[in-house]
Amino acid sequence: MERIMITGALGQIGSELVGKMRSIYGNDNVLATDIRQTADQSGPFEILDVTDAQRMHDLAKDFGADTMVHMAALLSATAEEKPLLAWNLNMGGLVNALEASRELGMQFFTPSSIGAFGPSTPKNNTPQDTLQRPTTMYGVNKVAGELLCDYYHTKFGVDTRGVRFPGLISNVAQPGGGTTDYAVDIYYKAIEQGSYTSYIAEGTYMDMMYMPDALQAIVDLMEADPAKLIHRNAFNVTAMSFEPEQIAASIRKHIPDFKMSYAVDPARQEIADSWPDSIDASAAKSEWGFKASYDLDAMTFDMLEKLKKKLQLV
Ligand SMILES: NC(=O)c1ccc[n+]([C@@H]2O[C@H](COP(=O)([O-])OP(=O)(O)OC[C@H]3O[C@@H](n4cnc5c(N)ncnc54)[C@H](O)[C@@H]3O)[C@@H](O)[C@H]2O)c1
């Protein structure tokens, strides 16, 4: 991994991954691309719509990229509102990125999601290899994407790698329309208003991870010895599993008067109910040494500190 091109680089993950990769591999060696413009000038940036296969190929070739990190996608809640757009962007963008990687000999990374599981998947300690019959368009895209990445590896020898991310919590870019977004919003509202109304019902467990652990996981998997990888794509990774009351309790350790109420959104609740309560990350741990450093309380402490500064309240 020496010359890296990132798609969807202005999203929740990309906006922090670009900085992390520039700090490791050098500012000029990481090409950020997105369909929208940015004011960030820390390194090269190009406008790219990932459904434009030719431009994607040309940008990667001109940059001399040896690695493609494909992040552009429509997330779970938005994909349910616009299923056809989700299919075209999530599948069209992915196959274009895989084709460019095949043609130019690039190493390849893209994230799958806990959304690749469905109601018939074992709900607790969900195994790495298990039943995947998701009921959302996002889930259909993610399962197809996992299989497509495996196919490009076995059929064409492309060095494809990937993880199934849980809900990611971060304090830089706002999340982009996922089902777990409440677990980011709650920290902003706790600081700004001292209260939060959750659209996810009490008692709904989902896996989550703090962004620094997610970024490290990407670097670690991409740098891992390929001889040790049995799965290559779609590794289960997670740092914690909690329900809304538990994140509220963690916040109350710092903001004792914090109040939580509920106005459940049936659409997002239905998606959440179809996902596992907790997943088993043992394959990622044994094959490439995945580990997460933040638990719920460590993440809450850091989120509140960083957001208070960001919102200029200290
Ligand atoms: N954030 C999470 O909690 C999470 C969890 C599991 C998996 N993932 C996966 O990680 C990847 C990145 O997620 P994210 O949270 O950063 O998403 P995001 O929605 O925050 O960002 C997506 C980015 O893609 C860009 N984009 C949209 N359409 C585009 C197009 N046609 N061409 C180029 N760029 C386009 C958007 O402008 C945006 O900057 C996705 O594959 C997502 O499914 C994310």
Side-chain angles (χ1 to χ4, degrees):
M1 211 168 35
E2 286 175 6
R3 297 276 289 174
I4 303 149
M5 172 165 161
I6 304 180
T7 71
L10 304 184
Q12 191 197 6
I13 301 177
S15 57
E16 292 186 61
L17 183 65
V18 168
K20 169 132 188 149
M21 288 197 153
R22 284 188 175 152
S23 72
I24 300 172
Y25 302 101
N27 285 1
D28 294 339
N29 290 324
V30 179
L31 172 63
T33 71
D34 203 287
I35 199 166
R36 51 198 170 99
Q37 192 51 265
T38 178
D40 174 34
Q41 299 196 327
S42 64
F45 176 83
E46 294 284 347
I47 293 281
L48 170 67
D49 178 343
V50 293
T51 60
D52 184 344
Q54 189 63 51
R55 180 161 167 78
M56 187 188 285
H57 177 102
D58 292 347
L59 280 177
K61 190 174 179 198
D62 291 349
F63 186 67
D66 65 10
T67 305
M68 171 72 77
V69 176
H70 180 57
M71 290 290 169
L74 217 59
L75 270 58
S76 56
T78 320
E80 278 313 279
E81 286 164 17
K82 300 172 188 166
L84 193 61
L85 177 65
W87 177 267
N88 289 334
L89 170 55
N90 294 353
M91 302 317 302
L94 177 61
V95 83
N96 290 344
L98 284 165
E99 271 299 287
S101 302
R102 181 181 70 77
E103 289 160 354
L104 300 171
M106 292 185 282
Q107 195 189 13
F108 182 85
F109 176 89
T110 201
S112 184
S113 155
I114 52 170
F117 298 120
S120 52
T121 301
K123 253 193 154 6
N124 289 300
N125 212 24
T126 304
Q128 175 66 39
D129 302 308
T130 187
L131 200 55
Q132 289 180 267
R133 304 289 292 171
T135 46
T136 62
M137 175 54 91
Y138 182 70
V140 169
N141 297 163
K142 287 304 188 191
V143 174
E146 291 180 6
L147 294 172
L148 198 59
C149 290
D150 280 344
Y151 180 80
Y152 267 73
H153 175 61
T154 49
K155 177 89 176 172
F156 302 121
V158 179
D159 185 0
T160 57
R161 305 187 187 195
V163 296
R164 292 184 188 122
F165 274 136
L168 298 181
I169 294 160
S170 66
N171 49 59
V172 177
Q174 292 278 357
T179 304
T180 53
D181 293 5
Y182 91 88
V184 177
D185 202 26
I186 192 171
Y187 288 109
Y188 283 85
K189 294 290 188 319
I191 292 170
E192 290 172 334
Q193 301 173 6
S195 64
Y196 183 67
T197 304
S198 174
Y199 61 80
I200 291 294
E202 192 174 349
T204 308
Y205 283 83
M206 285 184 277
D207 281 282
M208 306 274 179
M209 180 149 62
Y210 198 30
M211 190 61 84
D213 284 332
L215 303 182
Q216 192 59 49
I218 295 172
V219 173
D220 288 347
L221 174 57
M222 291 303 275
E223 295 286 7
D225 177 358
K228 297 201 172 124
L229 299 181
I230 300 163
H231 286 88
R232 305 196 66 92
N233 291 296
F235 282 96
N236 284 0
V237 291
T238 183
M240 59 194 99
S241 165
F242 57 74
E243 55 101 13
E245 278 304 309
Q246 288 173 306
I247 189 168
S250 182
I251 289 171
R252 274 190 208 104
K253 290 176 185 169
H254 306 272
I255 307 173
D257 293 336
F258 175 67
K259 291 196 177 43
M260 182 83 155
S261 57
Y262 293 86
V264 173
D265 168 17
R268 283 178 287 187
Q269 184 64 37
E270 192 181 339
I271 299 175
D273 287 340
S274 77
W275 290 357
D277 287 354
S278 66
I279 61 172
D280 170 26
S282 55
K285 287 176 188 166
S286 67
E287 290 178 39
W288 49 277
F290 165 71
K291 60 179 180 314
S293 354
Y294 287 86
D295 63 10
L296 176 56
D297 282 341
M299 176 177 77
T300 296
F301 178 81
D302 200 60
M303 277 296 282
L304 293 176
E305 289 293 300
K306 299 254 165 62
L307 284 182
K308 274 187 225 155
K309 286 197 190 105
K310 183 177 170 181
L311 301 170
Q312 298 183 325
L313 296 175
V314 286

Coordinates of all heavy atoms in Angstrom, one line a residue, residues 35-88:
I35 N -18.2 12.7 -4.9 CA -19.1 13.4 -5.9 C -19.3 14.8 -5.6 O -19.7 15.6 -6.4 CB -20.4 12.6 -5.9 CG1 -21.1 12.9 -7.2 CG2 -21.3 12.9 -4.7 CD1 -22.3 12.0 -7.5
R36 N -18.9 15.3 -4.3 CA -19.0 16.7 -4.0 C -17.6 17.3 -3.7 O -16.7 16.5 -3.4 CB -20.0 16.9 -2.8 CG -19.8 16.0 -1.6 CD -21.0 15.9 -0.7 NE -20.7 14.9 0.3 CZ -20.3 15.1 1.6 NH1 -20.1 16.3 2.0 NH2 -20.1 14.1 2.4
Q37 N -17.6 18.6 -3.6 CA -16.3 19.3 -3.5 C -16.0 19.5 -2.0 O -16.8 19.4 -1.1 CB -16.5 20.7 -4.1 CG -15.2 21.5 -4.3 CD -14.1 20.8 -5.1 OE1 -13.2 20.2 -4.4 NE2 -14.1 20.8 -6.4
T38 N -14.7 19.7 -1.7 CA -14.2 19.9 -0.4 C -13.3 21.1 -0.3 O -12.7 21.4 -1.3 CB -13.4 18.7 0.2 OG1 -13.0 19.0 1.5 CG2 -12.3 18.3 -0.7
A39 N -13.2 21.7 0.8 CA -12.3 22.9 1.0 C -10.9 22.4 1.5 O -9.9 23.1 1.5 CB -12.9 23.9 2.0
D40 N -10.9 21.1 2.0 CA -9.6 20.5 2.5 C -8.5 20.5 1.5 O -8.7 19.9 0.4 CB -9.9 19.1 3.1 CG -8.6 18.4 3.5 OD1 -7.7 19.1 4.0 OD2 -8.5 17.2 3.4
Q41 N -7.4 21.0 1.8 CA -6.3 21.0 0.8 C -5.0 20.3 1.3 O -3.9 20.6 0.9 CB -5.9 22.5 0.5 CG -7.1 23.2 -0.1 CD -6.7 24.5 -0.8 OE1 -5.8 25.2 -0.4 NE2 -7.5 24.9 -1.9
S42 N -5.3 19.3 2.2 CA -4.1 18.6 2.8 C -3.5 17.6 1.8 O -2.4 17.1 2.1 CB -4.5 17.9 4.1 OG -5.5 16.9 3.8
G43 N -4.1 17.4 0.6 CA -3.5 16.5 -0.3 C -4.4 16.5 -1.6 O -5.4 17.2 -1.7
P44 N -4.1 15.6 -2.6 CA -4.8 15.6 -3.8 C -6.3 15.2 -3.7 O -6.6 14.4 -2.9 CB -4.1 14.6 -4.7 CG -3.2 13.8 -3.8 CD -3.0 14.6 -2.6
F45 N -7.1 15.9 -4.4 CA -8.6 15.6 -4.4 C -9.1 15.8 -5.8 O -8.8 16.7 -6.5 CB -9.3 16.6 -3.5 CG -10.8 16.4 -3.5 CD1 -11.4 15.4 -2.7 CD2 -11.6 17.1 -4.4 CE1 -12.8 15.2 -2.8 CE2 -13.0 16.9 -4.4 CZ -13.6 15.9 -3.6
E46 N -10.0 14.9 -6.2 CA -10.7 14.9 -7.5 C -12.2 14.6 -7.3 O -12.5 13.8 -6.5 CB -10.1 13.9 -8.5 CG -8.7 14.1 -8.9 CD -8.5 15.2 -9.9 OE1 -9.5 15.7 -10.5 OE2 -7.4 15.7 -10.1
I47 N -13.0 15.3 -8.1 CA -14.4 15.0 -8.1 C -14.6 13.6 -8.9 O -14.0 13.5 -10.0 CB -15.3 16.1 -8.8 CG1 -15.3 17.4 -8.0 CG2 -16.7 15.6 -9.1 CD1 -16.2 17.4 -6.8
L48 N -15.3 12.7 -8.3 CA -15.6 11.4 -9.0 C -16.9 10.9 -8.6 O -17.2 10.7 -7.4 CB -14.5 10.4 -8.6 CG -14.8 8.9 -9.1 CD1 -14.8 8.9 -10.6 CD2 -13.8 7.9 -8.5
D49 N -17.8 10.6 -9.6 CA -19.0 9.9 -9.4 C -18.6 8.4 -9.7 O -18.2 8.1 -10.8 CB -20.1 10.4 -10.4 CG -21.4 9.6 -10.3 OD1 -21.4 8.5 -9.8 OD2 -22.4 10.1 -10.9
V50 N -18.8 7.6 -8.7 CA -18.3 6.2 -8.8 C -19.1 5.4 -9.9 O -18.6 4.3 -10.2 CB -18.3 5.4 -7.5 CG1 -17.2 6.0 -6.6 CG2 -19.7 5.4 -6.9
T51 N -20.2 5.9 -10.3 CA -20.9 5.2 -11.4 C -20.3 5.4 -12.8 O -20.7 4.8 -13.8 CB -22.4 5.5 -11.4 OG1 -22.6 6.9 -11.7 CG2 -23.1 5.1 -10.1
D52 N -19.3 6.3 -12.8 CA -18.5 6.6 -14.1 C -17.3 5.8 -14.1 O -16.2 6.2 -13.6 CB -18.2 8.2 -14.1 CG -17.5 8.6 -15.4 OD1 -17.0 7.7 -16.1 OD2 -17.5 9.8 -15.6
A53 N -17.4 4.6 -14.7 CA -16.3 3.6 -14.7 C -15.0 4.2 -15.4 O -13.9 4.0 -14.9 CB -16.7 2.3 -15.4
Q54 N -15.2 4.9 -16.5 CA -14.0 5.3 -17.2 C -13.2 6.3 -16.4 O -12.0 6.2 -16.4 CB -14.5 5.9 -18.6 CG -13.4 6.3 -19.5 CD -12.6 5.0 -19.9 OE1 -13.2 4.0 -20.4 NE2 -11.3 5.0 -19.8
R55 N -14.0 7.3 -15.8 CA -13.2 8.3 -15.0 C -12.5 7.7 -13.8 O -11.4 8.1 -13.5 CB -14.2 9.4 -14.6 CG -13.5 10.5 -13.8 CD -14.2 11.8 -13.8 NE -13.7 12.7 -12.8 CZ -12.6 13.5 -12.9 NH1 -11.9 13.4 -14.0 NH2 -12.2 14.3 -11.9
M56 N -13.2 6.7 -13.2 CA -12.6 6.1 -12.1 C -11.3 5.4 -12.5 O -10.2 5.5 -11.8 CB -13.5 5.0 -11.5 CG -13.0 4.4 -10.2 SD -14.0 3.0 -9.6 CE -15.4 3.8 -8.9
H57 N -11.3 4.7 -13.6 CA -10.1 4.0 -14.1 C -9.0 5.0 -14.4 O -7.9 4.8 -14.1 CB -10.5 3.2 -15.4 CG -9.4 2.5 -16.1 ND1 -9.1 1.2 -16.0 CD2 -8.4 3.0 -16.8 CE1 -8.0 0.9 -16.6 NE2 -7.6 2.0 -17.2
D58 N -9.4 6.1 -15.1 CA -8.4 7.1 -15.6 C -7.8 7.8 -14.4 O -6.6 8.0 -14.4 CB -9.1 8.1 -16.5 CG -9.5 7.5 -17.8 OD1 -9.1 6.4 -18.1 OD2 -10.3 8.2 -18.6
L59 N -8.6 8.1 -13.4 CA -8.0 8.8 -12.2 C -7.0 7.9 -11.5 O -5.9 8.3 -11.1 CB -9.1 9.2 -11.2 CG -9.9 10.5 -11.5 CD1 -11.0 10.7 -10.5 CD2 -9.0 11.7 -11.6
A60 N -7.4 6.6 -11.3 CA -6.5 5.6 -10.6 C -5.2 5.5 -11.4 O -4.1 5.4 -10.9 CB -7.2 4.3 -10.4
K61 N -5.4 5.3 -12.8 CA -4.2 5.1 -13.6 C -3.3 6.4 -13.6 O -2.0 6.2 -13.4 CB -4.7 4.9 -15.1 CG -3.5 4.4 -16.0 CD -4.1 4.0 -17.3 CE -2.9 3.6 -18.1 NZ -3.2 3.5 -19.6
D62 N -3.8 7.6 -13.8 CA -3.0 8.8 -13.8 C -2.3 9.0 -12.4 O -1.2 9.5 -12.4 CB -3.9 10.0 -14.1 CG -4.4 10.0 -15.5 OD1 -3.9 9.1 -16.3 OD2 -5.3 10.8 -15.9
F63 N -3.0 8.6 -11.4 CA -2.4 8.8 -10.0 C -1.3 7.7 -9.7 O -0.5 7.9 -8.8 CB -3.5 8.7 -9.0 CG -3.1 9.0 -7.6 CD1 -2.6 10.3 -7.2 CD2 -3.1 8.1 -6.6 CE1 -2.2 10.6 -5.9 CE2 -2.7 8.3 -5.3 CZ -2.3 9.6 -4.9
G64 N -1.4 6.7 -10.5 CA -0.5 5.5 -10.2 C -0.8 4.8 -9.0 O 0.0 4.3 -8.2
A65 N -2.2 4.7 -8.7 CA -2.6 4.0 -7.5 C -2.3 2.6 -7.5 O -2.4 1.9 -8.5 CB -4.1 4.2 -7.3
D66 N -1.8 2.1 -6.3 CA -1.6 0.6 -6.2 C -2.7 0.0 -5.2 O -2.8 -1.2 -5.0 CB -0.2 0.2 -5.7 CG 0.0 0.8 -4.3 OD1 -0.9 1.3 -3.6 OD2 1.2 0.7 -3.8
T67 N -3.6 0.9 -4.7 CA -4.6 0.5 -3.7 C -5.9 1.3 -4.0 O -5.8 2.5 -4.1 CB -4.1 0.7 -2.3 OG1 -2.9 0.1 -2.1 CG2 -5.1 0.2 -1.3
M68 N -7.0 0.6 -4.0 CA -8.3 1.3 -4.1 C -9.1 1.0 -2.8 O -9.3 -0.1 -2.4 CB -9.1 0.7 -5.3 CG -10.5 1.1 -5.4 SD -10.7 2.8 -5.9 CE -10.4 2.7 -7.6
V69 N -9.5 2.1 -2.1 CA -10.4 2.0 -0.9 C -11.7 2.6 -1.3 O -11.9 3.8 -1.5 CB -9.7 2.7 0.3 CG1 -10.7 2.7 1.5 CG2 -8.4 2.2 0.6
H70 N -12.7 1.7 -1.4 CA -14.0 2.1 -2.0 C -15.0 2.3 -0.9 O -15.5 1.3 -0.3 CB -14.5 1.0 -3.0 CG -15.8 1.3 -3.6 ND1 -16.0 2.4 -4.3 CD2 -17.0 0.6 -3.6 CE1 -17.3 2.4 -4.7 NE2 -17.9 1.3 -4.3
M71 N -15.4 3.5 -0.7 CA -16.3 3.9 0.4 C -17.6 4.4 0.0 O -18.6 4.4 0.7 CB -15.6 5.0 1.3 CG -14.5 4.5 2.1 SD -15.0 3.4 3.4 CE -13.4 2.8 3.9
A72 N -17.7 4.9 -1.3 CA -19.0 5.6 -1.7 C -20.1 4.6 -1.7 O -20.0 3.5 -2.3 CB -18.8 6.1 -3.1
A73 N -21.2 4.9 -1.0 CA -22.4 4.0 -1.0 C -23.5 4.8 -0.4 O -23.4 5.8 0.2 CB -22.1 2.8 -0.1
L74 N -24.7 4.2 -0.6 CA -25.9 4.7 0.1 C -26.2 3.9 1.3 O -26.2 2.6 1.2 CB -27.1 4.6 -0.9 CG -28.1 5.8 -0.8 CD1 -27.5 7.1 -1.1 CD2 -29.2 5.5 -1.9
L75 N -26.3 4.4 2.5 CA -26.4 3.7 3.7 C -27.8 3.1 4.0 O -28.8 3.5 3.3 CB -25.9 4.5 4.9 CG -24.4 4.3 5.1 CD1 -23.5 4.6 3.9 CD2 -23.9 5.0 6.3
S76 N -28.0 2.4 5.1 CA -29.2 1.5 5.2 C -30.5 2.2 5.2 O -31.4 1.8 4.5 CB -29.0 0.7 6.5 OG -28.8 1.5 7.6
A77 N -30.6 3.3 6.0 CA -31.9 3.9 6.1 C -32.3 4.6 4.8 O -33.4 4.6 4.3 CB -32.0 4.9 7.3
T78 N -31.3 5.3 4.2 CA -31.6 6.0 2.9 C -31.8 5.0 1.8 O -32.6 5.3 0.9 CB -30.3 6.9 2.6 OG1 -29.9 7.5 3.8 CG2 -30.7 8.0 1.6
A79 N -31.1 3.9 1.9 CA -31.3 2.9 0.8 C -32.7 2.3 0.8 O -33.3 2.0 -0.2 CB -30.3 1.8 1.0
E80 N -33.3 2.3 2.0 CA -34.7 1.8 2.1 C -35.7 2.8 1.5 O -36.8 2.4 1.0 CB -35.1 1.5 3.5 CG -34.7 0.1 4.0 CD -35.0 -1.0 3.1 OE1 -36.1 -1.5 3.0 OE2 -34.1 -1.4 2.3
E81 N -35.3 4.1 1.5 CA -36.2 5.1 0.9 C -36.0 5.2 -0.6 O -36.9 5.5 -1.3 CB -35.8 6.5 1.6 CG -36.3 6.7 3.0 CD -35.7 7.8 3.7 OE1 -35.1 8.7 3.0 OE2 -35.7 7.9 4.9
K82 N -34.8 4.9 -1.0 CA -34.5 5.0 -2.5 C -33.8 3.7 -2.9 O -32.6 3.7 -3.3 CB -33.5 6.2 -2.7 CG -34.1 7.5 -2.3 CD -33.1 8.6 -2.3 CE -33.6 9.9 -1.7 NZ -32.6 10.9 -1.4
P83 N -34.6 2.6 -3.0 CA -33.9 1.3 -3.2 C -33.3 1.2 -4.6 O -32.2 0.6 -4.7 CB -35.1 0.3 -3.1 CG -36.3 1.0 -2.9 CD -36.0 2.5 -2.6
L84 N -33.8 1.8 -5.6 CA -33.2 1.6 -7.0 C -31.9 2.4 -7.1 O -30.9 1.9 -7.6 CB -34.2 2.1 -8.0 CG -33.8 1.7 -9.5 CD1 -33.7 0.2 -9.6 CD2 -34.8 2.3 -10.5
L85 N -32.0 3.6 -6.5 CA -30.7 4.4 -6.4 C -29.6 3.6 -5.7 O -28.5 3.6 -6.1 CB -31.0 5.8 -5.8 CG -29.8 6.7 -5.6 CD1 -29.2 7.1 -6.9 CD2 -30.1 7.9 -4.7
A86 N -30.1 3.0 -4.6 CA -29.1 2.2 -3.8 C -28.5 1.1 -4.6 O -27.3 0.9 -4.6 CB -29.8 1.6 -2.5
W87 N -29.3 0.4 -5.3 CA -28.8 -0.7 -6.2 C -27.8 -0.2 -7.2 O -26.7 -0.7 -7.3 CB -30.0 -1.4 -6.9 CG -29.5 -2.5 -7.8 CD1 -29.2 -2.4 -9.1 CD2 -29.1 -3.8 -7.4 NE1 -28.7 -3.6 -9.6 CE2 -28.7 -4.5 -8.6 CE3 -29.2 -4.6 -6.2 CZ2 -28.2 -5.8 -8.6 CZ3 -28.8 -5.9 -6.3 CH2 -28.3 -6.5 -7.4
N88 N -28.2 0.9 -7.9 CA -27.3 1.4 -8.9 C -26.0 2.0 -8.4 O -24.9 1.7 -8.9 CB -28.0 2.5 -9.7 CG -29.2 1.9 -10.6 OD1 -29.1 0.8 -11.0 ND2 -30.2 2.7 -10.8

